[in-house]
């Protein structure tokens, strides 16, 4: 029987979490995961559509896979995820070696689709759903280190930032039943996992009403009154209370919804990691308005002050876009100023890429020349590189609890792990095992990594 699948994942953490759901659905139907594309019967490419270069990369990969298909004509290739949703049948027309296209809310159809494809059909399923959360599906952690795992807590997004394709590729926002999230985290702890990252496009708008549970299932659980209405702070509290040895992280937070209440829950639990990813996108009030971000630079800086006040040890990271429609030199300077004010520990920095269907595509001009975008991006990258190095230099001499994740990429005599602030720390291996907590004193650093010596093991 032809039943070996190979999943290749591009894009955000959410996509990696989705690939584990896809794997679970197909494993239940009798398919097994292959470690390489070379002996797979089906290659599933879980794609990203966030910027044009993400899509170009997939197109290139599809051309490469043609060679493999020439050697093995029975090999079937499918496109999953955001690019599948965005381009749908167009992909099928343009990429003749693709047999199936499946959008993010249609993964339950995969077993039946694969059986039809085996008989030579080509199929596309891209219906978006208002309710699908895959909450009954236990992800198969097929590519896991056995220590850290993602848990998807919601799907979709309806913030409609002017530049962003996600509301069109992932549909409306919906939250998952908190009890299923807690159960999944509990099971991970039982299986030896030590860290979970709760995922959503905007976790701060997580919201669950147990009336839904009442309507869908038989009865309300009267022993858990906190389930009547659960927002993100309550959910985080529930997950962090499972086991003090389980670290809890989350991503991503929208600045407009970051509440003091959430920060207080983070302060209450030592095992909630002190790291907040708070995408700023721009430091200019005019750009933020045009981007439809629903906050001003002053609001954003007030949220930063709240983090510093309530969680003094918290690290802060961000996303930023250089060269959005009509961005002036003054707007760009405001972004650099924002970086100097906040002094981020890490930043994901991008050149604006116009995406079809978005508000920007319909109403704005992509009028910043590419060389100007590139120059502005480089200025942000250079500034951020310097800030990250200076921030890291201040860590020298401090001691952190580190969850050991694996062998360092540089040397097999060294291990790496992360501290609560999500900074990577490298240290000598000794007799330490991945999955252990150790205390490490920082002795040296680069802009990206801390290097230290172990002081105590647990
Ligand atoms: N062009 C460039 N960057 C984008 N992002 C989202 N849409 C675009 C786009 N059209 C960035 C934002 C977002 C991150 C995931 O990707 O910074 O936070
Ligand atoms: Fe993730 Fe957005 Fe890319 Fe989809 S388009 S994979 S949601 S980053």
């Amino acid at each position: 029987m032809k039943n070996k699948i190979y999943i290749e994942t591009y894009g955000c953490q959410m996509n990696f979490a989705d690939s584990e759901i896809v794997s679970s659905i197909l494993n239940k139907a009798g398919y097994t995961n292959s470690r390489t594309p070379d002996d797979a019967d089906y290659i599933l490419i879980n794609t990203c559509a966030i910027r044009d270069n993400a899509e170009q990369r997939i197109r290139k990969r599809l051309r490469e896979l043609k060679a493999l298909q020439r050697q093995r004509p029975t090999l079937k290739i499918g496109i999953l995820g955001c690019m599948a949703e965005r381009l749908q049948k167009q992909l099928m027309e343009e990429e003749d070696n693709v047999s199936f296209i499946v959008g993010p809310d249609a993964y339950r159809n995969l077993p039946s689709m694969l059986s039809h494809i085996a008989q030579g059909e080509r199929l596309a399923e891209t219906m978006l759903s208002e309710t699908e959360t895959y909450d009954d599906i236990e992800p198969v952690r097929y590519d896991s280190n056995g220590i850290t795992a993602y848990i998807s807590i919601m799907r979709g997004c309806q913030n409609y930032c002017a530049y962003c394709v996600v509301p069109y590729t992932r549909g409306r926002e919906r939250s998952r039943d908190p009890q299923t999230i807690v159960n999944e985290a509990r099971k991970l702890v039982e299986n030896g996992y030590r860290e979970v990252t709760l995922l959503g496009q905007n976790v701060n708008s997580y919201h669950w009403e147990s009336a839904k549970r009442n309507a869908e299932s038989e009865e309300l659980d009267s022993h858990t009154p906190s389930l009547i209405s659960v927002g993100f702070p309550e959910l985080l509290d529930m997950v962090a209370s499972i086991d003090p040895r389980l670290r809890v992280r989350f991503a991503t937070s929208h600045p407009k919804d970051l509440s003091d209440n959430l920060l207080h829950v983070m302060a209450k639990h030592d095992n909630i990691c002190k790291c907040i990813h708070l995408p700023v996108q721009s430091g200019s009030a005019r750009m933020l308005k045009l981007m439809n971000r629903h906050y001003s630079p002053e609001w954003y800086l007030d949220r930063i002050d709240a983090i510093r006040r309530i969680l003094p040890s918290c690290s802060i990271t961000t996303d930023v876009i250089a060269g959005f429609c009509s961005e002036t030199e003054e707007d760009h300077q405001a972004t650099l100023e924002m970086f100097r004010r906040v002094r981020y520990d890490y930043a994901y920095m991008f050149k604006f890429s116009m995406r079809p269907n978005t508000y920007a595509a319909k109403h704005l001009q992509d009028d910043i020349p590419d060389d100007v975008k590139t120059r502005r991006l480089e200025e942000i990258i250079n500034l951020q590189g310097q800030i990250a190095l200076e921030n890291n230099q201040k860590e020298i001499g401090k001691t952190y609890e580190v969850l050991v994740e694996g062998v360092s990429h540089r040397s097999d005599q060294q291990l790496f792990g992360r501290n609560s602030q999500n900074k990577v720390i490298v240290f000598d291996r000794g007799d330490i095992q991945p999955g252990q907590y150790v205390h490490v004193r920082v002795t040296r650093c680069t802009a990206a990594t801390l290097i230290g010596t172990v002081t105590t093991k647990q």
Side-chain angles (χ1 to χ4, degrees), residues 50-51 163-164 279 281 319-321 350-353 355:
I50 197 98
R51 283 168 290 275
Y163 49 80
C164 190
Q281 312 300 2
D319 293 346
V320 69
I321 298 176
F350 308 106
K351 258 199 295 194
F352 172 62
S353 162
R355 307 311 289 133

